[in-house]
Amino acid sequence: MSPFVELSGLVKRFGDQLAVDGVALGIIRGEIFALLGPSGSGKTTTLRLLAGFEMPDAGRVVVDGADLTRTPPVARRVGMVFQHYALFPHLDVGENVAFGLESQGVGRGEIARRVRQALALVDLAGTERRRIAQLSGGQQQRVALARALAPEPQILLLDEPLSNLDPALRERTRRELREVIQRIGITTILVTHEQDEAFDLGDRVAVLRNGRLEQVGTPDELYTAPANLFVGRFIGRSSAAPAEVLGAGAGDRVRVRVLGVEWELERDANTPARGPAVMLLRPDALWPAAPAPGRIVGRVVSRRFIGPSALFTVDASGIPLEVSAPAQALSIGEEVGLVPSRRTGGSAHLFPAPP
Amino acid sequence: MNGRSRSRLAAWALLLLLVWLVVYPLVLVLADALRADGRWSLAWVRQFAASGIEWSALWGSVWISLASVAVAGLVGVPLAFLVERLDFPGRRWLATALALPAVLPPLVGSVAFLFLFGETGFLARLVQTILRLDAPPWRFEGALAILLVHGYTMYAYFYLFTRAGLASLDTSVYEAAASLGAGRRRTLTRVVLPLLRPALGGAALLVFMTSLASFSAPYLFGGGFRVMTTQIVATRLNGDESLAMVETVSLTLVALAALWLLSRVEGDVAVAGKGVAPAPRQVTSRARRALLGGAAWLVGTALLLPHLTLLLVSFVPLGTWTTEAVPPAYTLRNYVTLVTDPVRWRPLLNSLWMALAATAAAVALAIVAGMLVVRRRVPERRWIEVLLAMPWAVPGTVFAIALATAFSVHRPALARVVLIGTVWLLPLAYLVRNLPLTGRALLAGFRGLDPALDEAAATLGAGRLRTLARVTLPLLRPALVAGATLAFVTAFGDFVTSIVLYTYDTRPISLEILGSLRQSDVGVAAAYGVVLMLVSATVFALGAERRAEGG
């Protein structure tokens, strides 16, 4: 199936700074696609290239088979929810939602009907005559969504849609947002720097850094099979320790020395055959036991309680390792010996050491 | 052609227009100052430099401006502190009355002072009657008289700026100072005043530039005291065109030097955040309350005296007020003739249409400038801003002379046409003088708009025109109204440029006031003044209301 939205070889420069550096993506019809990355990674610029606010220096933007690279935003049929919503403060809720329909020359009665429909969709039925300033942050976010959806765009773009809400409200709004998008089945691209948001909303997630695409995949894929050290560190909790691959082990495993002990680990696509490496360890990759030879010995330096379990930081010869264990299992100052958990597949990865 | 090159093209068109209106006339003045007998020559500059009169006029301009800053500051700043930081009976009334001098156009203010303090004014006659003197007890003229008028009309800048500055100082600033053991005096000198520096610097600059350009006060009360603005007009009336050009250049140089110096001093102290000022301190001592309250009422009423004087004199029939302390007869006829006598209402119509046209054009240019500078961020934006602000730095007399020079010959190849003697020169001059007012307001307005609003309109399918009409302009309304009211009021009451450029057909209100005074028809002069004052006040009040609605 050919993708509904296709970005190929996108390049955007601001002065001598390369904001987007050869991004290529295919987004399937009806999919919710998240662009995730730290600030300055080029995710917002990519979205703005899609909306037409910026023109790429190279590359193409194709939606539904039509090349939109040089099409101005007015003609793109793209709905967008802005980070600060950009609701028109001088128009009331109904007029805001009607704005896009008026541009299309929709008749009066039809406009009223579709405004009503759009507001009902976001659970704000009957608020047509309210002023924007009278709405709470969450309501403003929903009006912005209704306004973007009312003209029935081909694709919906969300720029950090939840960053303006306080954390207590965020989770609920996220759920509602997902429901609305899924109900109408619109192809959606959202930009966020919050992994939770990307994982919760996105069917697939693209991780960007310095204008380049690092990896695209489902949340599970990104967590269990990070394509490189950056993605591994950026997605989920992890510790990194210097290691050395000593050679092949039994079956599909490699022998590795890490923090003075020798282990055998499952091999994956990035594991170097031999030589210096970095070992990425999820909190469940290690298990605390009594200090003994053949175990990574360290001292518990901090504890973060998170309900059924706790995250302990163990200082192993100067390398901080994060270990998940039952809340009462360890206490601060205690000396422990860490052993690999039984199931290390997907929670410990070896990458070539950076040069 | 794509949007980017269209913007560049528009930017260059605007730049060219501004250069033609703002810079080119000044360059022509400079060229004329450096020519004699059809050749480049420093003859006129030498004559200027050798003349003691010229130097004394230039020095007079500078020191009267410095003195005006001192007087206005000494009056305005303490009053602002009084109203903003202390609560006493009559505080609200005083706060309002203190802003009233701002609604008097400069000429009207000067005329009111003439009626009040002049040698045939109320005060002089009163003293003369009481003391049974044969002659008026004083002549209201010279530097002191000018300084008094300047002080009265310009302290409001210090007053308003300081109040705004104080209102933006957060309570926590005072509390922090107090918690660190600073007393009231130390808080004032080490914390509050330094934080007010940008506001005070801004007010000082405004007063200095306004005084330097001031024309009506020295024109009416100068006597033997020379300043450059009146000197230029006098020289020109004598027919010494080239010398007038040199004088014009000298005044421009002083203005630009002052602007440069003061803007360096002004600095950029940013007050962190939008503060919530502490509530004014209640004055508790009963005696002090009575004293402050009484003084507040007295000062407030005294500030209204010029306005009231004008109103009273406007009812005086022609030739009835001779030696009496108070006019003996009153009539409404002065107002009636303003609307019935075509010769009398012509100036009202003239001022109205010329001010409206100039304001509309200045607003339109400012909108274009705002879009290009703030939205499209064209590479030429810096130049557009400088050119828009420039007429503010250059005294009105200078611009009047410059425009009269530029548009006195027909040389289309040099972009010069004869406009002098036509009805178009005066509106053009008002337009140039209005550019900084509308430009400043609209650039600020555009900067306050979230660019995402335009982008939102675009994703919703609205083209440029629809976005402008439905989103940008409605949101710019406060800035539009602020810029337009200020521009209209300035043009409507203009005297400085009008006296140089008017013709009989375009004579504005200000010149009719002067003409009536010359014919000793004080009643009609005052009636015009009252009309000017009321229109200005009404436009300001309407503007403030509409702005409040829009915000």
Side-chain angles (χ1 to χ4, degrees):
Chain A
M1 189 167 72
S2 80
F4 184 62
V5 177
E6 194 170 6
L7 310 180
S8 45
L10 277 187
V11 175
K12 180 65 187 176
R13 261 185 208 87
F14 293 114
D16 52 3
Q17 196 204 338
L18 210 52
V20 173
D21 185 5
V23 166
L25 280 174
I27 295 157
I28 301 158
R29 189 191 290 269
E31 180 178 36
I32 305 181
F33 192 92
L35 297 169
L36 175 66
S39 62
S41 61
K43 55 189 191 303
T44 299
T45 307
T46 305
L47 195 77
R48 291 174 63 81
L49 286 167
L50 239 168
F53 300 140
E54 311 286 352
M55 289 290 147
D57 296 313
R60 295 203 312 154
V61 177
V62 175
V63 177
D64 200 12
D67 187 340
L68 298 182
T69 314
R70 298 284 144 196
T71 309
V74 184
R76 285 200 185 193
R77 294 194 48 225
V78 157
M80 179 147 172
V81 174
F82 291 80
Q83 185 172 9
H84 303 280
Y85 314 140
L87 293 170
F88 304 128
H90 61 299
L91 305 179
D92 63 24
V93 170
E95 289 167 330
N96 263 283
V97 178
F99 195 92
L101 298 168
E102 286 164 17
S103 307
Q104 295 178 342
V106 177
R108 238 166 210 279
E110 174 72 1
I111 287 182
R113 196 184 65 74
R114 279 169 67 179
V115 167
R116 214 163 35 239
Q117 204 176 28
L119 284 175
L121 186 69
V122 297
D123 207 15
L124 280 173
T127 57
E128 275 93 340
R129 296 283 79 83
R130 298 269 288 277
R131 314 278 325 163
I132 297 302
Q134 294 173 334
L135 303 178
S136 69
Q139 289 171 324
Q140 290 189 7
Q141 201 261 1
R142 275 141 67 195
V143 173
L145 183 63
R147 183 179 71 173
L149 290 175
E152 293 174 2
Q154 301 188 81
I155 50 175
L156 176 66
L157 307 180
L158 308 171
D159 185 5
E160 305 262 7
L162 303 170
S163 65
N164 253 354
L165 301 173
D166 49 84
L169 202 60
R170 236 175 254 180
E171 204 155 326
R172 206 185 84 201
T173 313
R174 199 194 290 164
R175 205 169 49 238
E176 290 167 350
L177 187 62
R178 191 182 177 86
E179 272 172 25
V180 170
I181 295 172
Q182 283 174 338
R183 203 177 318 155
I184 52 175
I186 187 171
T187 311
T188 302
I189 296 134
L190 88 119
V191 153
T192 179
H193 64 272
E194 298 237 2
Q195 180 193 315
D196 278 4
E197 216 166 285
F199 277 20
D200 196 2
L201 288 171
D203 297 323
R204 284 194 301 152
V205 177
V207 180
L208 286 115
R209 177 175 62 151
N210 294 336
R212 302 189 73 98
L213 211 53
E214 297 284 342
Q215 189 174 2
V216 181
T218 63
D220 303 48
E221 284 166 3
L222 295 178
Y223 186 83
T224 56
N228 55 42
L229 189 59
F230 171 77
V231 175
R233 294 290 279 159
F234 188 68
I235 301 287
R237 306 193 70 88
S238 62
S239 318
E244 188 175 4
V245 180
L246 302 169
D252 197 19
R253 315 185 97 185
V254 289
R255 286 187 302 117
V256 61
R257 183 171 24 233
V258 58
L259 297 170
V261 299
E262 260 183 53
W263 284 346
E264 286 202 353
L265 268 186
E266 281 166 47
R267 173 198 302 278
D268 62 32
N270 300 296
T271 308
R274 178 177 287 280
V278 176
M279 188 187 279
L280 186 87
L281 294 150
R282 301 295 185 195
D284 61 343
L286 298 171
W287 187 256
R295 296 173 178 173
I296 299 171
V297 178
R299 193 174 292 278
V300 180
V301 290
S302 76
R303 169 180 183 266
R304 216 179 115 213
F305 179 71
I306 43 171
S309 61
L311 280 172
F312 297 92
T313 305
V314 175
D315 179 3
S317 345
I319 306 290
L321 298 174
E322 218 173 33
V323 179
S324 170
Q328 308 303 330
L330 300 170
S331 50
I332 290 177
E334 191 181 341
E335 196 159 85
V336 290
L338 300 171
V339 292
S341 314
R342 252 148 293 170
R343 290 172 39 253
T344 50
S347 57
H349 307 274
L350 281 162
F351 296 101
Chain B
M1 186 157 56
N2 63 28
R4 202 177 178 78
S5 32
R6 259 204 306 273
S7 301
R8 293 294 299 274
L9 200 69
W12 276 98
L14 180 65
L15 265 183
L16 268 179
L17 181 67
L18 290 176
V19 166
W20 180 63
L21 282 176
V22 177
V23 180
Y24 189 47
L26 292 174
V27 172
L28 291 174
V29 165
L30 183 64
D32 273 10
L34 297 177
R35 289 178 78 86
D37 308 322
R39 284 182 297 111
W40 295 104
S41 149
L42 286 177
W44 293 107
V45 178
R46 271 194 220 103
Q47 185 178 334
F48 176 91
S51 157
I53 291 174
E54 301 293 346
W55 284 109
S56 79
L58 200 57
W59 171 237
S61 278
V62 171
W63 93 252
I64 204 88
S65 302
L66 290 174
S68 299
V69 171
V71 171
L74 285 175
V75 177
V77 175
L79 284 172
F81 270 90
L82 182 70
V83 166
E84 202 64 31
R85 303 288 288 115
L86 285 185
D87 198 12
F88 50 88
R91 167 169 168 264
R92 279 177 181 284
W93 151 246
L94 184 66
T96 313
L98 281 171
L100 278 175
V103 304
L104 275 184
L107 177 71
V108 180
S110 300
V111 170
F113 262 67
L114 192 67
F115 293 147
L116 189 56
F117 299 116
E119 51 180 301
T120 58
F122 283 107
L123 213 61
R125 285 170 194 250
L126 207 65
V127 172
Q128 195 180 347
T129 314
I130 292 171
L131 300 182
R132 299 172 193 285
L133 303 173
D134 303 333
W138 63 70
R139 293 171 63 80
F140 189 72
E141 61 177 38
L144 207 63
I146 298 174
L147 213 51
L148 200 65
V149 179
H150 281 186
Y152 175 79
T153 51
M154 294 174 204
Y155 81 83
Y157 294 133
F158 272 101
Y159 170 71
L160 293 172
F161 277 52
T162 309
R163 276 193 74 182
L166 282 175
S168 73
L169 281 191
D170 196 88
T171 315
S172 63
V173 171
Y174 299 93
E175 289 168 352
S179 73
L180 295 169
R184 208 176 278 162
R185 178 180 298 268
R186 205 168 120 81
T187 306
L188 178 71
T189 54
R190 292 295 305 277
V191 179
V192 178
L193 285 179
L195 282 173
L196 285 179
R197 204 178 68 168
L200 296 178
L205 184 61
L206 203 53
V207 171
F208 185 89
M209 299 304 272
T210 312
S211 308
L212 197 67
S214 168
F215 183 81
S216 1
Y219 187 75
L220 288 181
F221 306 117
F225 186 77
R226 285 174 207 283
V227 298
M228 200 36 101
T229 47
T230 48
Q231 183 75 8
I232 291 171
V233 173
T235 308
R236 198 158 171 275
L237 274 179
N238 284 340
D240 291 338
E241 288 270 349
S242 300
L243 188 59
M245 297 301 163
V246 181
E247 291 169 351
T248 307
V249 171
S250 77
L251 187 61
T252 312
L253 292 180
V254 171
L256 293 178
L259 188 65
W260 181 73
L261 266 177
L262 276 166
S263 62
R264 281 174 55 117
V265 175
E266 199 180 335
D268 277 325
V269 181
V271 179
K274 214 177 232 176
V276 178
R281 197 158 45 86
Q282 195 79 37
V283 178
T284 41
S285 144
R286 193 176 261 196
R288 278 201 198 164
R289 280 177 73 85
L291 194 72
L292 267 174
W297 278 92
L298 206 69
V299 171
T301 313
L303 288 170
L304 266 182
L305 274 182
H307 305 72
L308 294 174
T309 306
L310 208 62
L311 194 65
L312 186 70
V313 176
S314 73
F315 296 117
V316 174
L318 178 59
T320 56
W321 190 25
T322 47
T323 57
E324 301 84 350
V326 176
Y330 298 93
T331 173
L332 276 174
R333 252 190 49 87
N334 296 328
Y335 286 99
V336 175
T337 62
L338 288 198
V339 286
T340 50
D341 183 352
V343 178
R344 293 270 190 229
W345 53 257
R346 183 67 190 268
L348 287 172
L349 276 185
N350 281 342
S351 283
L352 192 66
W353 86 256
M354 293 192 296
L356 278 177
T359 302
V363 165
L365 283 178
I367 290 174
V368 174
M371 301 223 294
L372 291 171
V373 170
V374 181
R375 274 305 149 76
R376 307 264 168 273
R377 296 185 61 74
V378 290
E380 297 80 11
R381 59 183 183 276
R382 187 79 202 106
W383 291 106
I384 295 178
E385 279 200 70
V386 167
L387 287 180
L388 274 181
M390 204 164 134
W392 179 77
V394 178
T397 313
V398 170
F399 257 111
I401 301 278
L403 290 173
T405 309
F407 299 109
S408 60
V409 292
H410 186 71
R411 291 227 199 103
L414 290 174
R416 296 175 73 174
V417 287
V418 175
L419 288 182
I420 208 156
T422 70
V423 296
W424 298 111
L425 192 53
L426 213 41
L428 196 71
Y430 293 169
L431 164 65
V432 174
R433 306 270 299 143
N434 279 345
L435 282 176
L437 304 173
T438 57
R440 185 181 280 216
L442 277 158
L443 284 178
F446 267 101
R447 292 208 164 97
L449 281 190
D450 183 359
L453 291 170
D454 274 21
E455 295 177 349
T459 60
L460 295 168
R464 272 215 192 135
L465 272 182
R466 199 168 114 80
T467 305
L468 187 69
R470 287 275 285 156
V471 179
T472 315
L473 288 184
L475 288 172
L476 280 177
R477 202 175 69 173
L480 272 173
V481 169
T485 48
L486 208 53
F488 176 82
V489 166
T490 310
F492 194 64
D494 175 84
F495 178 54
V496 195
T497 41
S498 306
I499 194 170
V500 178
L501 299 175
Y502 82 102
T503 65
Y504 181 74
D505 283 332
T506 60
R507 66 190 188 282
I509 299 176
S510 54
L511 277 142
E512 199 65 14
I513 292 179
L514 199 65
S516 307
L517 277 184
R518 288 222 175 94
Q519 294 159 22
S520 300
D521 200 348
V522 291
V524 167
Y528 275 119
V530 170
V531 169
L532 255 182
M533 183 171 81
L534 286 181
V535 170
S536 303
T538 312
V539 169
F540 270 137
L542 281 179
E545 204 169 285
R546 304 227 65 184
R547 245 180 308 166
E549 263 173 49

